[in-house]
Amino acid sequence: MNINLTPEIVSEITEALKQGRVCHFKYDNKDFYVRMDEVRFPERMAREQLPVVIMQHVQAIADEIVAGPGSDYIFTTIARNRIPEICETGKMISVFFFTNDKYDSTFPYDLIRADECDVNVKINHEKLG
């Protein structure tokens, strides 16, 4: 997944991910966060099961993000690297941001191209009312 940021910011993100799990950057006056998670696959597993295992990881990570800092917001937008890349590297990279404005919850594809990531918007229904 290529992120359209300056080489300096990409380098800072890379170094921060090596030392911890979550890092922060600003893009278009909005706060974004990046985290990297290991995806472990069972030793003996049919290839067609890979997407199922990955989607279980995706759901667990999204739940953790929404329950953590995302709990203060209505919308959490999460982009992650695509399944073939996750299968190849064993690492899931998530880029996410929080907002209370439905019209501000769209992921900026000038940051990461649409063909390089999968995006979900999670809604905190408790905060809607």
Side-chain angles (χ1 to χ4, degrees), residues 37-42 45-62 80-94 118 120:
D37 294 274
E38 296 279 334
V39 178
R40 303 208 188 281
F41 303 107
M45 179 177 64
R47 185 155 181 77
E48 54 273 358
Q49 287 297 105
L50 286 173
V52 174
V53 171
I54 289 172
M55 292 314 295
Q56 290 169 342
H57 281 279
V58 166
Q59 187 59 51
I61 290 164
R80 64 163 171 76
N81 50 335
R82 304 206 101 167
I83 288 177
E85 185 180 343
I86 297 169
C87 291
E88 192 175 298
T89 65
K91 296 186 185 326
M92 184 181 312
I93 299 171
S94 305
D118 292 322
N120 319 47

Side-chain angles (χ1 to χ4, degrees), residues 59-107:
Q59 187 59 51
I61 290 164
D63 290 348
E64 189 176 310
I65 290 169
V66 171
S71 64
D72 292 336
Y73 297 88
I74 297 172
F75 302 100
T76 302
T77 303
I78 306 169
R80 64 163 171 76
N81 50 335
R82 304 206 101 167
I83 288 177
E85 185 180 343
I86 297 169
C87 291
E88 192 175 298
T89 65
K91 296 186 185 326
M92 184 181 312
I93 299 171
S94 305
V95 179
F96 53 97
F97 67 93
F98 311 108
T99 184
N100 286 318
D101 181 353
K102 177 171 95 171
Y103 301 104
D104 192 36
S105 64
T106 304
F107 195 82

